[in-house]
Amino acid sequence: MNALRSEEIYTIEDIYALPDGQRAELIDGRIYYMAPPSKTHQRISGKIYQTIANYIDSNGGKCEVYAAPFAVFLNQDEINYVEPDISVICDLSKLDEKGCHGAPDWIIEIVSPGNKPMDYFTKLFKYRNANVREYWIVDPAPQQIMVYRFEKETMEQYSFGEDIPVGIYEDFSVKIQ
C-alpha cells in the first residue's frame, strides 16, 4: 500500500522567518513568493492610493487606506497572510502595529503577468469567503478592472479611463488611467 505524501503546511511564523526583502503570501498554509512590482504596477498603485486617501481625508472619513507591503491576517488564523496592493479598513479595531486582523472592507489587487491566476481565482474566492465587502482586480495589460461587490453579489467590468463607483461609499468613484 502506498502512503499518500502530504504537502507541508506553512504558518505565519514561516513568513516572518523569510530572509529580509523576500516577500511572500500564505494562503491555506501554502507559500506564494512575490516578484518585485513593475514601474507600471507601482504607478497605478500610487495613483489609486492617493485618490482614496484624498477622498477619505477630505470627507473626514473613519476608514484608513494602506498600500503594500501591509500585512492582512485574513482569517485570523496561522495559515493565511496576504499583502494586498491596497487595503481599505473601516473597522479600526482590526488594526494594530502588525497589520489588519480580519477582512478589510475593500481590497484592490493590481495584476502582474505572473500572478493572474492568483488574483482572478485564488484570491477572489479567498476574499469572498473572508467577508471582504469589495474586491477590485486592476489588470494593466487589457486595461480593465473587475469589480466584485460581494455584499450585493455583483460583478462589473470597467475599462481604464471610466469612472468606477466605489461600493463601500455612496458618493465616490475612481478613474484609473
Side-chain angles (χ1 to χ4, degrees):
M1 179 191 307
N2 291 339
L4 291 176
R5 196 171 140 217
S6 63
E7 189 174 314
E8 186 167 355
I9 301 295
Y10 294 94
T11 68
I12 291 169
E13 190 175 302
D14 296 309
I15 292 291
Y16 281 110
L18 292 173
D20 284 348
Q22 175 70 64
R23 288 183 54 214
E25 294 179 307
L26 181 68
I27 297 179
D28 296 329
R30 185 165 175 207
I31 291 180
Y32 296 88
Y33 293 96
M34 300 163 61
S38 69
K39 177 182 77 89
T40 298
H41 181 285
Q42 290 300 85
R43 180 184 52 77
I44 292 169
S45 178
K47 290 289 187 188
I48 295 170
Y49 173 87
Q50 181 180 29
T51 301
I52 296 168
N54 288 346
Y55 173 82
I56 292 171
D57 290 348
S58 65
N59 288 281
K62 69 176 182 85
C63 301
E64 293 186 6
V65 60
Y66 294 92
F70 179 73
V72 174
F73 305 95
L74 200 55
N75 298 99
Q76 300 187 61
D77 59 24
E78 289 298 311
I79 59 169
N80 288 283
Y81 167 98
V82 292
E83 291 184 3
D85 291 311
I86 297 174
S87 302
V88 177
I89 299 103
C90 299
D91 179 355
L92 303 185
S93 71
K94 292 181 179 181
L95 296 171
D96 68 12
E97 285 304 311
K98 286 190 170 192
C100 178
H101 300 269
D105 293 86
W106 179 18
I107 288 177
I108 300 171
E109 294 283 9
I110 300 159
V111 177
S112 297
N115 73 350
K116 275 185 189 256
M118 176 67 83
D119 292 335
Y120 278 100
F121 300 106
T122 307
K123 287 184 178 178
L124 170 66
F125 293 109
K126 197 70 186 165
Y127 292 160
R128 187 182 83 195
N129 290 337
N131 295 318
V132 170
R133 294 169 59 198
E134 187 162 352
Y135 175 43
W136 290 18
I137 303 171
V138 177
D139 197 336
Q143 295 194 338
Q144 74 178 16
I145 302 97
M146 304 300 291
V147 175
Y148 296 88
R149 293 187 182 93
F150 298 129
E151 290 178 316
K152 296 181 180 180
E153 297 184 6
T154 64
M155 186 275 294
E156 297 170 331
Q157 181 176 323
Y158 295 89
S159 296
F160 280 32
E162 288 185 277
D163 282 321
I164 306 167
V166 177
I168 68 166
Y169 294 108
E170 291 185 16
D171 60 344
F172 181 38
S173 64
V174 174
K175 186 182 290 190
I176 299 170
Q177 301 290 345

